[in-house]
Amino acid sequence: MSFFPGNDPQAGDAFACDAIENLIIPRTSDLGGFSVRRALPSSRRRLVGPFIFFDRMGPAIFRPGQAVDVRPHPHIGLSTVTYLFDGEIRHLDSLGTAKVIRPGDINLMTAGRGIVHSERTPENLRDHPFSMSGLQTWLALPDDKEEIDPSFAHTEKDELPVIADGGVSGRVVIGDFEGLKSPVKSFSDTLYVDLQLQPNTTFPFGAAHEERAVYILSGSLIVAGDHFASDQLLVFRPGDAITLEAGEKGCHLMLFGGAALNSKRYIWWNFVSSSKERIEKAKEEWRTGRFDIVPGDEEEFIPLPEG
């Protein structure tokens, strides 16, 4: 808590505590020198719009011989969104997809009734140092889309609309924002924007979307006079227009959110569903080998966790 000795705020101004519904400090896991910060789900907040999972990967430097090797594993009831700032990941899935994602591209894998995939460092990067930095998020599917057929879509960086306005730059990754529309398909109202603000630049964040949040990737952000550091998640109250202001070193942000889901979502391991029974069924299907295999990555898999 700090003491503010200035004049009283003018009518209509809002303190940060009035503008912010949740402040979340992600929990950090060290995966052999590769840090992952998980902001959602948390004890304070389960979802923001359809976003039910939000992981900040890195940044990290891998030495020769080190790599990302996420063995084949299943998903239901969600879309995974992979977005990189640095590095490369080779995606393989049970549909037969084989795709390397690079910085600025987006992979949208929709699990629906069930899909299996792996994520690994491409062979060409394994023999020398490389850096890795990015985000992986999950979008819970609407009630009537939870059991759709699985699908995969890759969108190149150059296909995403560009934001360029004075000290503000970025891309609209998913959804509609400031008159720009991403070509990436979404199954409900979804907002996902990569935004960079130069030092002391301000930017209005309107209330067009029902639920909104910002993750501070680097630098510092000022909201209603209060300063927030990197790797913090701010969830804003619905209906209030917010002014985002960069600190003295600027800031790099991900804006995200969208429409709230119509029903509760359960999450267990890699499964998301509006039904506990459906999750139990998926657990049994993975345990007994009834999910499809991943062509080109058939030798390994992640076992079902105990408990």
Side-chain angles (χ1 to χ4, degrees):
M1 180 177 292
S2 62
F3 173 69
F4 176 64
N7 296 327
D8 290 338
Q10 297 296 314
D13 287 358
F15 291 112
C17 62
D18 295 327
I20 296 169
E21 191 168 87
N22 300 107
L23 169 61
I24 298 170
I25 308 299
R27 59 189 187 276
T28 302
S29 299
D30 187 345
L31 306 180
F34 180 57
S35 293
V36 174
R37 296 172 177 86
R38 180 156 301 166
L40 293 177
S42 78
S43 59
R44 304 190 63 149
R45 187 86 185 202
R46 300 288 288 174
L47 297 104
V48 178
F51 287 84
I52 195 169
F53 181 95
F54 194 109
D55 263 7
R56 169 70 165 117
M57 305 180 294
I61 302 294
F62 285 78
R63 297 188 299 272
Q66 291 183 317
V68 173
D69 277 306
V70 181
R71 294 167 291 160
H73 58 281
H75 290 283
I76 66 163
L78 57 86
S79 294
T80 65
V81 182
T82 305
Y83 186 70
L84 299 181
F85 306 113
D86 210 356
E88 299 180 5
I89 295 176
R90 184 169 185 253
H91 166 98
L92 299 177
D93 65 39
S94 51
L95 300 175
T97 307
K99 191 68 180 179
V100 174
I101 183 173
R102 297 179 173 87
D105 299 346
I106 178 171
N107 278 359
L108 181 77
M109 184 188 75
T110 299
R113 58 180 170 77
I115 197 169
V116 182
H117 75 136
S118 64
E119 296 163 298
R120 300 181 186 269
T121 298
E123 292 300 324
N124 63 294
L125 295 182
R126 290 176 178 254
D127 294 333
H128 56 80
F130 68 94
S131 56
M132 176 63 67
S133 176
L135 296 170
Q136 188 162 88
T137 56
W138 297 355
L139 307 175
L141 293 173
D143 293 2
D144 62 344
K145 298 290 191 296
E146 288 186 285
E147 296 296 321
I148 61 175
D149 290 340
S151 61
F152 176 86
H154 174 87
T155 304
E156 299 283 339
K157 172 183 177 179
D158 293 343
E159 299 177 62
L160 300 176
V162 173
I163 300 168
D165 183 10
V168 181
S169 61
R171 284 183 172 79
V172 181
V173 182
I174 303 177
D176 297 90
F177 186 70
E178 296 296 312
L180 301 173
K181 182 176 177 60
S182 168
V184 178
K185 182 178 180 179
S186 58
F187 294 94
S188 62
D189 176 50
T190 304
L191 174 70
Y192 203 33
V193 175
D194 180 356
L195 197 69
Q196 297 196 50
L197 305 182
Q198 294 301 310
N200 305 312
T201 301
T202 61
F203 187 81
F205 189 10
H209 297 275
E210 183 180 0
E211 297 185 351
R212 297 162 299 152
V214 58
Y215 189 93
I216 306 169
L217 294 159
S218 63
S220 63
L221 177 68
I222 303 169
V223 177
D226 280 355
H227 293 245
F228 299 92
S230 61
D231 292 308
Q232 296 185 354
L233 171 63
L234 311 181
V235 182
F236 299 116
R237 296 189 187 280
D240 291 340
I242 304 294
T243 298
L244 305 175
E245 181 180 354
E248 293 183 355
K249 295 184 178 180
C251 62
H252 186 190
L253 311 168
M254 287 301 294
L255 314 183
F256 67 99
L261 297 175
N262 291 327
S263 61
K264 183 176 180 178
R265 286 298 179 275
Y266 300 97
I267 180 170
W268 189 90
W269 191 38
N270 300 312
F271 305 138
V272 171
S273 180
S274 59
S275 164
K276 288 183 178 180
E277 290 75 20
R278 180 65 182 91
I279 288 179
E280 291 301 318
K281 180 182 177 184
K283 289 162 66 174
E284 183 61 21
E285 288 173 343
W286 184 245
R287 183 185 293 113
T288 57
R290 282 182 280 164
F291 274 84
D292 293 335
I293 63 170
V294 176
D297 203 345
E298 304 96 336
E299 300 302 318
E300 298 183 299
F301 66 93
I302 300 177
L304 190 76
E306 297 292 333

